[in-house]
Amino acid sequence: MLSAARIFGQHFPLPIPAELADEASLLRHLGLSPRELKKIWWYRGRMYQQFSIAKGGGKVRLIMAPDRRLKILQSKLAPLLDQLYRVRNPVHGFVQLRSVKTNAEAHGRRRFVINLDLQDFFPTITENRVKGLLKSILIDPRVAEIVARLCCVESHLPQGASTSPVLSNMICFRLDTQLLQIAKSARAIYTRYADDITFSSYQPPAPLFEGALPAVGRFSPDMLAAPLRGAFESNGFIINPVKAHYADRNSRRIVTGVKINGGLNVDRRYVRRIRALLHSIELLGLDDAQQKYGSGGGKGAIADHLRGTISYITHLKGSVDPVVRSLATRYNRSFPARPIMLAPTVEERRDRAVWIVEHSADGGQQGTAFFLKNVGLVTASHCVEGDSDFVVYHPSKPSNRSKVTVLKRCAHRDLALLGHAAHSTDYFDLDVAARSAAVGDDVVAFGYPGFGPGDKINVRGGSVTSLPIKSGVPMIEVSQELAQGMSGGPILDAHGAVVGIVHKGGPEEARQLAIEIGVLLKWLAE
């Protein structure tokens, strides 16, 4: 039997909960009599309901759910087992505050990804392995035997019991340690989400393979380096040969179902299926759409399915993402009684309200524009001078450019109102300030000075230093530098409302000036 130190390393020993000290303490904690324990001991197989749930690709997952009594007992055991497990950094499955999202985020935008899967993960973890593990960390042998008996069925961990996640992570502790060491030696990142294992790197991961790198796509696990294969074998696991996959910089890189090529995303087919269901409801009505959904293999209410899938995309991409907002808007129209509430933060709202305006004159110039509630898309007049083709876009997706037309422009006031084709779900509006700026007020300027690919919105805090009038136009002078490229951007007060529009500034200018927001409102009312 492996020693505790061999399994849990230098972090062992962890304190053993008093409830696991001996059989009497355990049974007292569980509210379980010796007579009932004996009954469960011999008839636990009858206390599980077996069923399957659909997986991707037409496959099914076998679930073994305990009955009410056994579920209560396991729910009391799970917190005790949690105290015996020290979470490793690479582990993201069945861990509080971690998810498929954090698992994918760990790999960033790395160019090379290896996906592996442990075959028959829970059935591989036998009752004897669980019992031996608990004994090795100095749990009383009789207690270890009882815990293993209450947590296993058909001599292995069931997928469906609340104790199976933590026990599987405990069993995999040594495997995680070995794979982490192998990944570090190969300058790669390693994570595990239950039975899904991922390695990624910026450079071709040659040390993880026996010979040459495999072609993109599925590959035989026999191609893996001997130490890597040996780590799985020595820990009693088998790599699923059907799910071994390699991706390079030129292919789609997936981590636990999440695309990581350009930020976290889902497969296009996933979004298409949601749109198809929404279209079915809009076209046929809820009753007919539900019948069509059920006849196609869908289970449960179509509304619940849509709500869950849209919530998953929201979790990955955020509530301000245009795709998320578009799907949620369509869902809310069909199910107004149970709307999906998307509440962006103040920072997210400001970020999505401020865009880049670009024109082709003078070799391509950039400025800033923003969406103002009940007004539209606003910028500085000098940002849209001449006969050039003007476009606006948000830096989160520079390829999604929207052509603009100049609806109204005033060179004297340096203000312009633009017409655009951006969808309403692509942006947020800023509010007009309830009162005019005063000297000494704290203000923040937003814009895109010297914008380049990958840059985010520039935020510059300062205060109002004076309220000059230039050529009859009321202005706001601020203490922060308003660099070139910020022209047309908003100046916000302490409440996040617009008090001014950036006019000019920078190191070569004597003053940092913005047009007072009241000038815009009066001009538009003329």
Side-chain angles (χ1 to χ4, degrees):
M1 181 186 300
L2 291 172
S3 69
R6 287 284 304 278
I7 297 175
F8 290 95
Q10 61 182 354
H11 297 297
F12 187 82
L14 294 175
I16 296 175
E19 296 86 346
L20 298 177
D22 51 50
E23 180 177 356
S25 299
L26 175 60
L27 296 185
R28 184 166 53 252
H29 172 71
L30 296 177
L32 185 64
S33 67
R35 181 178 180 181
E36 186 181 10
L37 174 62
K38 185 176 181 180
K39 182 179 178 181
I40 295 174
W41 195 278
W42 297 110
Y43 299 105
R44 61 179 174 173
R46 300 178 185 179
M47 302 177 74
Y48 284 87
Q49 179 185 2
Q50 185 172 304
F51 60 92
S52 60
I53 58 176
K55 295 172 57 178
K59 299 179 181 179
V60 296
R61 186 188 305 276
L62 184 63
I63 301 296
M64 301 186 72
D67 68 7
R68 183 176 179 275
R69 177 55 178 158
L70 195 53
K71 188 174 182 179
I72 291 173
L73 296 175
Q74 291 172 350
S75 68
K76 292 181 178 180
L77 280 172
L80 301 179
L81 296 172
D82 284 334
Q83 297 178 47
L84 298 174
Y85 174 62
R86 187 180 295 277
V87 179
R88 301 303 308 271
N89 287 334
V91 181
H92 292 261
F94 316 129
V95 175
Q96 191 175 13
L97 302 181
R98 298 187 188 180
S99 63
V100 293
K101 181 179 181 179
T102 61
N103 189 49
E105 285 176 333
H107 297 276
R109 298 188 181 185
R110 284 172 173 79
R111 299 176 178 181
F112 303 88
V113 174
I114 301 170
N115 300 116
L116 303 174
D117 181 86
L118 300 180
Q119 185 168 293
D120 299 326
F121 182 58
F122 285 105
T124 299
I125 302 175
T126 64
E127 185 173 344
N128 285 335
R129 290 183 71 178
V130 173
K131 184 165 52 179
L133 170 75
L134 295 174
K135 288 181 180 179
S136 72
I137 57 175
L138 305 183
I139 297 294
D140 177 83
R142 176 58 178 167
V143 171
E145 192 175 25
I146 294 172
V147 170
R149 195 74 179 180
L150 293 176
C151 295
C152 296
V153 66
E154 296 180 358
S155 299
H156 64 77
L157 283 184
Q159 185 165 358
S162 60
T163 47
S164 292
V166 63
L167 285 171
S168 68
N169 278 342
M170 292 172 69
I171 288 288
C172 289
F173 192 95
R174 190 166 71 111
L175 173 67
D176 292 326
T177 301
Q178 293 174 349
L179 295 184
L180 182 59
Q181 293 172 346
I182 291 172
K184 285 182 177 180
S185 66
R187 296 186 177 182
I189 295 293
Y190 158 68
T191 65
R192 181 178 62 82
Y193 189 95
D195 55 353
D196 284 317
I197 288 172
T198 306
F199 294 91
S200 70
S201 60
Y202 287 115
Q203 300 298 324
L208 298 180
F209 290 94
E210 196 66 48
L213 291 171
V216 170
R218 292 180 181 176
F219 67 89
S220 170
D222 293 336
M223 299 181 67
L224 294 171
L228 187 52
R229 285 185 281 111
F232 291 105
E233 293 168 3
S234 64
N235 284 279
F237 291 106
I238 300 173
I239 301 173
N240 189 335
V242 179
K243 294 187 176 181
H245 187 275
Y246 173 67
D248 65 11
R249 71 185 84 185
N250 299 316
S251 58
R252 185 177 59 177
R253 302 185 292 282
I254 302 288
V255 178
T256 47
V258 181
K259 287 176 63 177
I260 64 169
N261 291 49
L264 303 188
N265 207 343
V266 294
D267 191 280
R268 291 180 182 178
R269 292 170 293 185
Y270 190 86
V271 176
R272 286 174 186 157
R273 283 194 292 268
I274 296 175
R275 287 174 174 158
L277 290 176
L278 290 169
H279 178 71
S280 179
I281 295 171
E282 294 161 353
L283 183 66
L284 304 175
L286 179 57
D287 291 341
D288 289 345
Q290 176 68 52
Q291 185 176 357
K292 181 180 178 181
Y293 171 69
S295 63
K299 295 184 178 180
I302 190 172
D304 294 337
H305 174 75
L306 284 169
R307 190 178 187 87
T309 53
I310 294 174
S311 296
Y312 174 66
I313 299 178
T314 305
H315 174 65
L316 290 180
K317 297 169 69 67
S319 61
V320 299
D321 181 81
V323 172
V324 169
R325 295 183 65 207
S326 176
L327 294 175
T329 299
R330 292 179 65 182
Y331 174 91
N332 291 344
R333 281 200 297 263
S334 296
F335 304 99
R338 291 185 61 209
I340 295 175
M341 306 302 293
L342 300 179
T345 64
V346 173
E347 291 75 15
E348 289 172 334
R349 180 175 289 277
R350 292 172 185 171
D351 175 78
R352 279 285 172 176
V354 184
W355 287 40
I356 297 163
V357 59
E358 187 177 88
H359 60 92
S360 58
D362 301 324
Q365 298 295 315
Q366 293 173 333
T368 303
F370 65 96
F371 292 89
L372 188 63
K373 186 178 292 185
N374 299 324
V375 174
L377 184 59
V378 177
T379 189
S381 173
H382 72 266
C383 291
V384 287
E385 288 179 325
D387 300 323
S388 303
D389 293 327
F390 301 103
V391 296
V392 291
Y393 58 90
H394 193 269
S396 63
K397 197 170 184 180
S399 61
N400 190 14
R401 295 169 178 250
S402 173
K403 288 188 176 182
V404 296
T405 56
V406 180
L407 301 178
K408 193 171 183 180
R409 186 167 72 87
C410 179
H412 175 66
R413 298 178 177 88
D414 196 22
L415 295 172
L417 181 66
L418 307 180
H420 63 90
H423 195 276
S424 61
T425 57
D426 288 350
Y427 62 87
F428 288 111
D429 295 311
L430 295 176
D431 294 310
V432 175
R435 70 172 184 85
S436 301
V439 174
D441 285 354
D442 292 329
V443 290
V444 182
F446 292 81
Y448 293 98
F451 176 77
D455 288 349
K456 295 185 178 181
I457 192 170
N458 194 273
V459 181
R460 300 191 178 190
S463 60
V464 177
T465 58
S466 69
L467 299 171
I469 298 178
K470 296 291 185 180
S471 302
V473 179
M475 295 190 174
I476 301 171
E477 183 177 6
V478 297
S479 61
Q480 64 265 54
E481 182 179 293
L482 304 177
Q484 184 177 2
M486 297 185 75
S487 297
I491 301 285
L492 306 186
D493 64 12
H495 303 288
V498 181
V499 293
I501 302 151
V502 176
H503 171 51
K504 65 178 181 179
E508 297 180 358
E509 296 288 341
R511 307 177 81 174
Q512 314 298 313
L513 299 172
I515 309 298
E516 205 274 329
I517 190 64
V519 175
L520 172 71
L521 302 179
K522 290 178 182 178
W523 170 58
L524 293 176
E526 292 177 354

